[in-house]
Amino acid sequence: QVQLVESGGGSVQPGGSLRLSCVASVSLDRPYSMAWFRQAPEKEREGVAVRYRIGGLIYYADSVKGRFTITLDNAKNTLYLQMDSLKPEDTAMYYCAYKQAYSDSWWYDVRAYNYWGQGTQVTVSS
């Protein structure tokens, strides 16, 4: 069983920054990929960023490209999401997700992930 615990959310003004953390109960050099998702009220959960174990390949959603950065610290079993130039439309609950092995699916397909954290709330408002 893998446990994921997110932190770092909060309230920030537009243009501000936050860094989210996701601490795992297992080594993060094991999963096929690690990702961040978000879900706004009455909307579907959407992929924000993913980092693959092989080659460290990274993808971002178009809506956050150039503003968000996903990184991994294996020594601390921690996945990060640095969020800069935040906009009101970034307001959502943010989740980290763990995918054990390869599957024929898009990186943003929520069904492909095996474990999820409880989420951390990000609110961007003036």
Side-chain angles (χ1 to χ4, degrees), residues 44-72:
E44 292 188 353
R45 193 168 297 189
E46 62 174 359
V48 174
V50 64
R51 186 186 185 281
Y52 289 89
R53 183 185 73 243
I54 298 175
L57 193 63
I58 290 173
Y59 292 109
Y60 296 97
D62 288 344
S63 59
V64 307
K65 206 172 292 183
R67 300 187 298 121
F68 290 11
T69 304
I70 186 171
T71 57
L72 180 67

mmCIF file of all heavy atoms in Angstrom, residues 44-72:
data_model
loop_
_atom_site.group_PDB
_atom_site.id
_atom_site.type_symbol
_atom_site.label_atom_id
_atom_site.label_comp_id
_atom_site.label_asym_id
_atom_site.label_seq_id
_atom_site.Cartn_x
_atom_site.Cartn_y
_atom_site.Cartn_z
ATOM 1 N N GLU A 44 -14.513 18.113 -13.710
ATOM 2 C CA GLU A 44 -13.811 16.842 -13.657
ATOM 3 C C GLU A 44 -12.365 17.056 -13.227
ATOM 4 O O GLU A 44 -11.798 18.132 -13.428
ATOM 5 C CB GLU A 44 -13.858 16.158 -15.030
ATOM 6 C CG GLU A 44 -15.245 15.689 -15.437
ATOM 7 C CD GLU A 44 -15.218 14.857 -16.693
ATOM 8 O OE1 GLU A 44 -14.154 14.757 -17.324
ATOM 9 O OE2 GLU A 44 -16.271 14.300 -17.044
ATOM 10 N N ARG A 45 -11.802 16.013 -12.647
ATOM 11 C CA ARG A 45 -10.389 16.068 -12.277
ATOM 12 C C ARG A 45 -9.545 16.108 -13.551
ATOM 13 O O ARG A 45 -9.783 15.331 -14.475
ATOM 14 C CB ARG A 45 -10.031 14.857 -11.422
ATOM 15 C CG ARG A 45 -8.692 14.945 -10.726
ATOM 16 C CD ARG A 45 -8.531 13.862 -9.684
ATOM 17 N NE ARG A 45 -9.509 13.990 -8.608
ATOM 18 C CZ ARG A 45 -9.468 13.278 -7.482
ATOM 19 N NH1 ARG A 45 -8.499 12.408 -7.292
ATOM 20 N NH2 ARG A 45 -10.400 13.440 -6.556
ATOM 21 N N GLU A 46 -8.549 17.010 -13.564
ATOM 22 C CA GLU A 46 -7.739 17.164 -14.762
ATOM 23 C C GLU A 46 -6.256 17.060 -14.446
ATOM 24 O O GLU A 46 -5.812 17.462 -13.364
ATOM 25 C CB GLU A 46 -8.017 18.519 -15.434
ATOM 26 C CG GLU A 46 -7.679 19.718 -14.597
ATOM 27 C CD GLU A 46 -7.833 21.031 -15.356
ATOM 28 O OE1 GLU A 46 -8.189 21.008 -16.551
ATOM 29 O OE2 GLU A 46 -7.567 22.084 -14.744
ATOM 30 N N GLY A 47 -5.506 16.541 -15.389
ATOM 31 C CA GLY A 47 -4.072 16.420 -15.215
ATOM 32 C C GLY A 47 -3.389 17.770 -15.317
ATOM 33 O O GLY A 47 -3.729 18.579 -16.176
ATOM 34 N N VAL A 48 -2.432 18.002 -14.447
ATOM 35 C CA VAL A 48 -1.668 19.248 -14.425
ATOM 36 C C VAL A 48 -0.253 19.016 -14.940
ATOM 37 O O VAL A 48 0.227 19.750 -15.801
ATOM 38 C CB VAL A 48 -1.625 19.826 -13.006
ATOM 39 C CG1 VAL A 48 -0.719 21.045 -12.940
ATOM 40 C CG2 VAL A 48 -3.028 20.170 -12.516
ATOM 41 N N ALA A 49 0.412 17.987 -14.413
ATOM 42 C CA ALA A 49 1.785 17.695 -14.808
ATOM 43 C C ALA A 49 2.107 16.252 -14.441
ATOM 44 O O ALA A 49 1.543 15.698 -13.507
ATOM 45 C CB ALA A 49 2.762 18.638 -14.123
ATOM 46 N N VAL A 50 3.030 15.676 -15.188
ATOM 47 C CA VAL A 50 3.457 14.299 -14.930
ATOM 48 C C VAL A 50 4.962 14.203 -15.104
ATOM 49 O O VAL A 50 5.562 14.925 -15.907
ATOM 50 C CB VAL A 50 2.754 13.319 -15.894
ATOM 51 C CG1 VAL A 50 3.167 13.583 -17.331
ATOM 52 C CG2 VAL A 50 3.039 11.870 -15.510
ATOM 53 N N ARG A 51 5.559 13.323 -14.312
ATOM 54 C CA ARG A 51 6.985 13.022 -14.441
ATOM 55 C C ARG A 51 7.143 11.512 -14.517
ATOM 56 O O ARG A 51 6.715 10.785 -13.612
ATOM 57 C CB ARG A 51 7.790 13.577 -13.284
ATOM 58 C CG ARG A 51 9.301 13.395 -13.459
ATOM 59 C CD ARG A 51 10.052 13.825 -12.224
ATOM 60 N NE ARG A 51 11.495 13.778 -12.388
ATOM 61 C CZ ARG A 51 12.228 12.676 -12.320
ATOM 62 N NH1 ARG A 51 11.659 11.512 -12.086
ATOM 63 N NH2 ARG A 51 13.543 12.740 -12.482
ATOM 64 N N TYR A 52 7.756 11.036 -15.613
ATOM 65 C CA TYR A 52 7.992 9.613 -15.783
ATOM 66 C C TYR A 52 9.328 9.212 -15.165
ATOM 67 O O TYR A 52 10.286 9.988 -15.196
ATOM 68 C CB TYR A 52 7.993 9.251 -17.264
ATOM 69 C CG TYR A 52 6.632 9.320 -17.900
ATOM 70 C CD1 TYR A 52 6.167 10.502 -18.464
ATOM 71 C CD2 TYR A 52 5.800 8.196 -17.919
ATOM 72 C CE1 TYR A 52 4.909 10.565 -19.035
ATOM 73 C CE2 TYR A 52 4.546 8.256 -18.484
ATOM 74 C CZ TYR A 52 4.107 9.442 -19.051
ATOM 75 O OH TYR A 52 2.865 9.498 -19.612
ATOM 76 N N ARG A 53 9.395 7.986 -14.633
ATOM 77 C CA ARG A 53 10.638 7.505 -14.039
ATOM 78 C C ARG A 53 11.722 7.370 -15.112
ATOM 79 O O ARG A 53 12.862 7.803 -14.890
ATOM 80 C CB ARG A 53 10.426 6.136 -13.375
ATOM 81 C CG ARG A 53 11.679 5.606 -12.665
ATOM 82 C CD ARG A 53 11.481 4.209 -12.120
ATOM 83 N NE ARG A 53 11.457 3.223 -13.184
ATOM 84 C CZ ARG A 53 10.406 2.465 -13.468
ATOM 85 N NH1 ARG A 53 9.286 2.588 -12.775
ATOM 86 N NH2 ARG A 53 10.458 1.589 -14.438
ATOM 87 N N ILE A 54 11.359 6.787 -16.252
ATOM 88 C CA ILE A 54 12.340 6.536 -17.300
ATOM 89 C C ILE A 54 12.672 7.847 -18.009
ATOM 90 O O ILE A 54 11.830 8.489 -18.632
ATOM 91 C CB ILE A 54 11.809 5.500 -18.296
ATOM 92 C CG1 ILE A 54 11.567 4.175 -17.573
ATOM 93 C CG2 ILE A 54 12.795 5.317 -19.448
ATOM 94 C CD1 ILE A 54 10.931 3.117 -18.428
ATOM 95 N N GLY A 55 13.912 8.260 -17.849
ATOM 96 C CA GLY A 55 14.368 9.470 -18.511
ATOM 97 C C GLY A 55 13.901 10.768 -17.892
ATOM 98 O O GLY A 55 14.280 11.842 -18.351
ATOM 99 N N GLY A 56 13.079 10.681 -16.861
ATOM 100 C CA GLY A 56 12.579 11.901 -16.229
ATOM 101 C C GLY A 56 11.709 12.742 -17.137
ATOM 102 O O GLY A 56 11.589 13.959 -16.964
ATOM 103 N N LEU A 57 11.073 12.103 -18.128
ATOM 104 C CA LEU A 57 10.242 12.835 -19.086
ATOM 105 C C LEU A 57 9.098 13.535 -18.371
ATOM 106 O O LEU A 57 8.462 12.959 -17.482
ATOM 107 C CB LEU A 57 9.696 11.851 -20.113
ATOM 108 C CG LEU A 57 9.053 12.430 -21.375
ATOM 109 C CD1 LEU A 57 10.077 13.219 -22.176
ATOM 110 C CD2 LEU A 57 8.454 11.305 -22.206
ATOM 111 N N ILE A 58 8.848 14.772 -18.764
ATOM 112 C CA ILE A 58 7.831 15.599 -18.116
ATOM 113 C C ILE A 58 6.868 16.184 -19.146
ATOM 114 O O ILE A 58 7.295 16.623 -20.221
ATOM 115 C CB ILE A 58 8.494 16.733 -17.310
ATOM 116 C CG1 ILE A 58 9.209 16.168 -16.078
ATOM 117 C CG2 ILE A 58 7.479 17.796 -16.892
ATOM 118 C CD1 ILE A 58 10.042 17.184 -15.312
ATOM 119 N N TYR A 59 5.585 16.204 -18.788
ATOM 120 C CA TYR A 59 4.565 16.867 -19.594
ATOM 121 C C TYR A 59 3.731 17.775 -18.689
ATOM 122 O O TYR A 59 3.522 17.468 -17.506
ATOM 123 C CB TYR A 59 3.639 15.858 -20.262
ATOM 124 C CG TYR A 59 4.294 15.023 -21.327
ATOM 125 C CD1 TYR A 59 4.548 13.672 -21.112
ATOM 126 C CD2 TYR A 59 4.651 15.566 -22.552
ATOM 127 C CE1 TYR A 59 5.142 12.891 -22.085
ATOM 128 C CE2 TYR A 59 5.257 14.798 -23.523
ATOM 129 C CZ TYR A 59 5.496 13.464 -23.278
ATOM 130 O OH TYR A 59 6.090 12.700 -24.253
ATOM 131 N N TYR A 60 3.227 18.857 -19.292
ATOM 132 C CA TYR A 60 2.350 19.780 -18.585
ATOM 133 C C TYR A 60 1.068 19.991 -19.374
ATOM 134 O O TYR A 60 1.074 19.946 -20.612
ATOM 135 C CB TYR A 60 3.024 21.143 -18.399
ATOM 136 C CG TYR A 60 4.252 21.128 -17.525
ATOM 137 C CD1 TYR A 60 5.530 21.068 -18.063
ATOM 138 C CD2 TYR A 60 4.126 21.177 -16.127
ATOM 139 C CE1 TYR A 60 6.653 21.053 -17.262
ATOM 140 C CE2 TYR A 60 5.251 21.160 -15.318
ATOM 141 C CZ TYR A 60 6.508 21.100 -15.889
ATOM 142 O OH TYR A 60 7.612 21.083 -15.084
ATOM 143 N N ALA A 61 0.004 20.280 -18.660
ATOM 144 C CA ALA A 61 -1.214 20.735 -19.324
ATOM 145 C C ALA A 61 -0.928 22.093 -19.963
ATOM 146 O O ALA A 61 -0.155 22.889 -19.416
ATOM 147 C CB ALA A 61 -2.341 20.856 -18.305
ATOM 148 N N ASP A 62 -1.550 22.352 -21.085
ATOM 149 C CA ASP A 62 -1.325 23.619 -21.778
ATOM 150 C C ASP A 62 -1.641 24.819 -20.881
ATOM 151 O O ASP A 62 -0.992 25.860 -20.968
ATOM 152 C CB ASP A 62 -2.175 23.691 -23.050
ATOM 153 C CG ASP A 62 -1.663 22.779 -24.142
ATOM 154 O OD1 ASP A 62 -0.505 22.326 -24.051
ATOM 155 O OD2 ASP A 62 -2.431 22.503 -25.087
ATOM 156 N N SER A 63 -2.620 24.670 -20.020
ATOM 157 C CA SER A 63 -3.072 25.782 -19.186
ATOM 158 C C SER A 63 -2.045 26.207 -18.139
ATOM 159 O O SER A 63 -2.145 27.312 -17.588
ATOM 160 C CB SER A 63 -4.384 25.416 -18.497
ATOM 161 O OG SER A 63 -4.223 24.255 -17.702
ATOM 162 N N VAL A 64 -1.063 25.337 -17.851
ATOM 163 C CA VAL A 64 -0.080 25.676 -16.813
ATOM 164 C C VAL A 64 1.338 25.745 -17.360
ATOM 165 O O VAL A 64 2.268 26.106 -16.623
ATOM 166 C CB VAL A 64 -0.132 24.673 -15.643
ATOM 167 C CG1 VAL A 64 -1.552 24.546 -15.107
ATOM 168 C CG2 VAL A 64 0.430 23.321 -16.038
ATOM 169 N N LYS A 65 1.513 25.411 -18.620
ATOM 170 C CA LYS A 65 2.840 25.383 -19.217
ATOM 171 C C LYS A 65 3.513 26.743 -19.092
ATOM 172 O O LYS A 65 2.917 27.780 -19.383
ATOM 173 C CB LYS A 65 2.720 24.971 -20.683
ATOM 174 C CG LYS A 65 3.944 24.322 -21.274
ATOM 175 C CD LYS A 65 3.649 23.772 -22.658
ATOM 176 C CE LYS A 65 2.693 22.614 -22.588
ATOM 177 N NZ LYS A 65 2.435 22.016 -23.933
ATOM 178 N N GLY A 66 4.768 26.729 -18.637
ATOM 179 C CA GLY A 66 5.507 27.969 -18.464
ATOM 180 C C GLY A 66 5.308 28.628 -17.104
ATOM 181 O O GLY A 66 6.025 29.570 -16.760
ATOM 182 N N ARG A 67 4.330 28.133 -16.333
ATOM 183 C CA ARG A 67 4.060 28.711 -15.007
ATOM 184 C C ARG A 67 4.300 27.703 -13.879
ATOM 185 O O ARG A 67 4.678 28.100 -12.777
ATOM 186 C CB ARG A 67 2.611 29.197 -14.931
ATOM 187 C CG ARG A 67 2.258 30.255 -15.953
ATOM 188 C CD ARG A 67 0.852 30.823 -15.708
ATOM 189 N NE ARG A 67 -0.187 29.813 -15.827
ATOM 190 C CZ ARG A 67 -1.027 29.484 -14.852
ATOM 191 N NH1 ARG A 67 -0.951 30.079 -13.671
ATOM 192 N NH2 ARG A 67 -1.974 28.563 -15.055
ATOM 193 N N PHE A 68 4.061 26.425 -14.145
ATOM 194 C CA PHE A 68 4.211 25.387 -13.128
ATOM 195 C C PHE A 68 5.427 24.517 -13.452
ATOM 196 O O PHE A 68 5.751 24.300 -14.628
ATOM 197 C CB PHE A 68 2.977 24.487 -13.087
ATOM 198 C CG PHE A 68 1.728 25.128 -12.537
ATOM 199 C CD1 PHE A 68 1.640 26.491 -12.319
ATOM 200 C CD2 PHE A 68 0.623 24.352 -12.234
ATOM 201 C CE1 PHE A 68 0.490 27.080 -11.811
ATOM 202 C CE2 PHE A 68 -0.540 24.906 -11.731
ATOM 203 C CZ PHE A 68 -0.609 26.274 -11.519
ATOM 204 N N THR A 69 6.052 23.991 -12.385
ATOM 205 C CA THR A 69 7.204 23.115 -12.560
ATOM 206 C C THR A 69 7.074 21.913 -11.625
ATOM 207 O O THR A 69 6.917 22.099 -10.407
ATOM 208 C CB THR A 69 8.509 23.854 -12.257
ATOM 209 O OG1 THR A 69 8.607 25.024 -13.087
ATOM 210 C CG2 THR A 69 9.709 22.960 -12.539
ATOM 211 N N ILE A 70 7.162 20.711 -12.176
ATOM 212 C CA ILE A 70 7.113 19.490 -11.382
ATOM 213 C C ILE A 70 8.533 18.982 -11.180
ATOM 214 O O ILE A 70 9.332 18.941 -12.117
ATOM 215 C CB ILE A 70 6.229 18.414 -12.066
ATOM 216 C CG1 ILE A 70 6.063 17.195 -11.172
ATOM 217 C CG2 ILE A 70 6.765 18.040 -13.438
ATOM 218 C CD1 ILE A 70 5.034 16.190 -11.696
ATOM 219 N N THR A 71 8.853 18.645 -9.931
ATOM 220 C CA THR A 71 10.176 18.105 -9.619
ATOM 221 C C THR A 71 10.025 16.965 -8.615
ATOM 222 O O THR A 71 8.991 16.820 -7.967
ATOM 223 C CB THR A 71 11.115 19.166 -9.037
ATOM 224 O OG1 THR A 71 10.514 19.732 -7.860
ATOM 225 C CG2 THR A 71 11.403 20.258 -10.041
ATOM 226 N N LEU A 72 11.099 16.183 -8.507
ATOM 227 C CA LEU A 72 11.095 15.010 -7.644
ATOM 228 C C LEU A 72 12.394 14.969 -6.852
ATOM 229 O O LEU A 72 13.470 15.135 -7.431
ATOM 230 C CB LEU A 72 10.957 13.753 -8.504
ATOM 231 C CG LEU A 72 10.920 12.402 -7.814
ATOM 232 C CD1 LEU A 72 9.659 12.277 -6.991
ATOM 233 C CD2 LEU A 72 10.997 11.289 -8.838
#
